[in-house]
């Protein structure tokens, strides 16, 4: 059992109900219940199904996390919960449950930004983040480049975001066109193992000299892959799925790592942190390792289990907030489904931070 302050983290922004427990940077428990199988037949996440699944999973997941850590509710020193961004109904379930736990335990509540949680996930494996570092967040709903200093005390500089489809969304949509199952990212990754990444010359969006160096766009890549598949089918040819998957994956990994390394060079940063669900993609990891090694940049990627949505990453942010003596949220704190990433917490952390979640 930890001798430091103990933080329970709750994550419910999409289709995973997560509970994690962290104390002084150490991960004590990590439990996730996914409703992905319920969404698979619809080819994507259905918000109402996700919210109902969170209701059913919340108590069992929290109970299992406490058991895993050998703790009781009364042992907690704080509760942290995702308050945005995410699906409104899903966020409401997690926040309501977290408020109840914080009130019952008589401990402070912290509202945490979901993307800050992904950034903090890496600290559970590799320790404190270097100050500064460039962070590439890449998932089904987000593709962002950030310049991060002190995650809790300093504003996060947003270098660029996706202007349309996120990388994971591109994988999901192209997988459906290729006849692969949902979720598309893992399916594309598996299919690509038998394919030739040079077989199809898919475009690299927004990589021209006049393009925004840190913005991402994957809608055109998705369309190119769909047209390639349609061309084969109209010709009555069998679709070479493995080659298409390998070429698509290569294009995504190329764009992501090219822009991330460009940001490191431009800001004189020697550490790149890659987080989010797509950080689990084998080619994204391999190409990031290759290019970081060539550029003399340290690469940090969390373990696969901490890449996708989970409560441990939210607990990690809560732990940082507690150790920084940041003021907690009030029990009246609300969700913000489209919250911009300005600070780790979705409430003021200093007098100059006027944003209220």
């Amino acid at each position: 059992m930890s001798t430091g302050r103990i933080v329970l983290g709750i994550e419910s922004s999409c289709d995973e109900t997560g509970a994690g427990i962290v104390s002084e940077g150490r991960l004590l428990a990590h439990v996730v219940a996914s409703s992905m199988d319920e969404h698979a037949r619809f080819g994507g996440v259905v918000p109402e199904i996700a919210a109902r699944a969170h209701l059913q999973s919340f108590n069992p997941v929290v109970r299992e996390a406490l058991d895993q850590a050998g703790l009781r509710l009364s042992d907690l020193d704080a509760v942290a919960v995702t308050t945005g961004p995410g699906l409104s109904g899903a966020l409401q379930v997690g926040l309501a449950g977290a408020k109840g736990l914080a009130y019952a335990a008589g401990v402070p509540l912290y509202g945490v930004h979901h993307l800050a949680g992904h950034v903090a996930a890496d600290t559970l494996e590799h320790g404190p983040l270097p100050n500064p570092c460039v962070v590439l967040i890449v998932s089904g709903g987000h593709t962002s480049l950030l310049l991060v200093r002190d995650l809790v005390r300093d504003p996060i500089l947003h270098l660029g975001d996706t202007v349309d489809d996120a990388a994971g969304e591109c994988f999901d949509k192209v997988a459906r066109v290729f006849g692969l199952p949902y979720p598309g990212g893992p399916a594309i990754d598996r299919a690509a193992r038998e394919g030739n990444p040079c077989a199809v010359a898919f475009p690299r969006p927004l990589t021209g000299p006049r393009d925004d160096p840190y913005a991402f766009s994957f809608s055109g890549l998705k369309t190119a892959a769909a047209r390639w598949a349609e061309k084969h089918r109209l010709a009555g040819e069998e679709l070479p799925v493995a080659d298409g998957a390998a070429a698509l994956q290569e294009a995504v990994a190329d764009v992501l790592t090219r822009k991330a390394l460009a940001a490191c060079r431009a800001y004189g940063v020697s550490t790149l942190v890659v987080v989010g669900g797509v950080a689990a993609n084998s080619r994204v990891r391999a190409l990031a390792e290759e290019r970081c090694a060539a550029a003399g940049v340290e690469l940090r990627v969390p373990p696969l289990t901490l890449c996708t949505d989970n409560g441990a990453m939210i607990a990690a942010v809560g732990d940082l907030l507690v150790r920084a003596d940041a003021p907690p949220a009030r029990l009246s704190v609300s969700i913000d489904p489209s919250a911009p990433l300005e600070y780790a917490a979705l409430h003021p952390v200093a007098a100059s931070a006027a944003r209220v979640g």
Side-chain angles (χ1 to χ4, degrees):
M1 184 179 295
S2 173
T3 57
R5 288 177 287 185
I6 299 169
V7 181
L8 169 69
I10 302 295
E11 158 61 23
S12 69
S13 65
C14 192
D15 59 340
E16 280 98 6
T17 310
I21 300 176
V22 172
S23 177
E24 304 293 325
R26 292 197 307 114
L27 180 60
L28 305 181
H30 172 37
V31 180
V32 177
S34 176
S35 59
M36 191 169 295
D37 289 346
E38 298 179 56
H39 303 284
R41 60 196 176 105
F42 299 102
V45 176
V46 180
E48 293 81 2
I49 292 176
R52 185 172 67 244
H54 289 307
L55 280 170
Q56 295 169 343
S57 299
F58 187 91
N59 284 338
V61 164
V62 170
R63 191 179 306 116
E64 185 177 345
L66 289 169
D67 290 344
Q68 195 177 99
L71 299 169
R72 296 171 295 179
L73 187 62
S74 59
D75 294 319
L76 299 179
D77 294 290
V79 175
V81 60
T82 302
T83 43
L87 301 175
S88 178
L91 290 169
Q92 291 281 16
V93 173
L95 178 58
K99 284 182 178 181
L101 292 173
Y103 182 79
V107 298
L109 175 73
Y110 291 88
V112 170
H113 196 287
H114 175 77
L115 297 186
H118 277 302
V119 176
D122 184 71
T123 67
L124 298 175
E125 178 71 12
H126 299 119
L129 293 171
N131 182 356
C133 61
V134 168
V135 179
L136 172 64
I137 299 179
V138 55
S139 67
H142 306 279
T143 304
S144 302
L145 265 177
L146 315 172
L147 182 66
V148 176
R149 295 184 175 90
D150 186 309
L151 183 60
V152 171
R153 296 180 178 87
D154 296 329
I156 295 164
L157 179 59
H158 238 101
L159 302 179
D161 294 282
T162 184
V163 298
D164 42 52
D165 291 356
E169 185 179 1
C170 174
F171 281 149
D172 284 340
K173 291 179 177 178
V174 174
R176 189 183 311 169
V177 172
F178 286 3
L180 297 172
Y182 177 85
I188 291 285
D189 202 351
R190 288 191 299 270
R193 294 171 191 165
E194 306 299 324
N196 176 6
C198 300
V200 189
F202 284 138
R204 271 53 170 172
L206 294 186
T207 55
R210 296 186 179 180
D211 291 318
D212 185 330
Y214 309 127
F216 298 93
S217 170
F218 294 103
S219 179
L221 177 59
K222 171 197 67 181
T223 301
R227 287 178 175 169
W228 172 81
E230 181 183 29
K231 179 181 178 181
H232 279 275
R233 286 173 178 141
L234 289 175
E237 301 169 350
E238 182 178 352
L239 186 65
V241 172
D243 285 346
L248 176 77
Q249 186 171 260
E250 187 69 21
V252 170
D254 181 23
V255 172
L256 292 174
T257 56
R258 190 188 306 190
K259 287 177 176 279
L261 266 298
C264 290
R265 287 192 297 270
Y267 287 89
V269 173
S270 59
T271 303
L272 172 64
V273 183
V274 183
V275 296
V278 179
N281 179 272
S282 63
R283 185 53 185 156
V284 170
R285 283 177 172 249
L287 192 56
E289 289 174 2
E290 177 185 321
R291 289 182 169 174
C292 282
V297 171
E298 178 193 10
L299 175 66
R300 293 178 34 157
V301 186
L304 296 180
T305 56
L306 293 176
C307 285
T308 52
D309 294 349
N310 62 86
M313 69 186 197
I314 304 304
V317 177
D319 175 61
L320 292 173
L321 292 168
V322 166
R323 287 193 277 161
D325 293 321
R330 297 177 180 177
L331 285 179
S332 59
V333 65
S334 61
I335 64 166
D336 187 347
S338 58
L341 180 53
E342 299 173 357
Y343 290 89
L346 287 186
H347 58 85
V349 295
S352 61
R355 179 175 180 78
V356 176

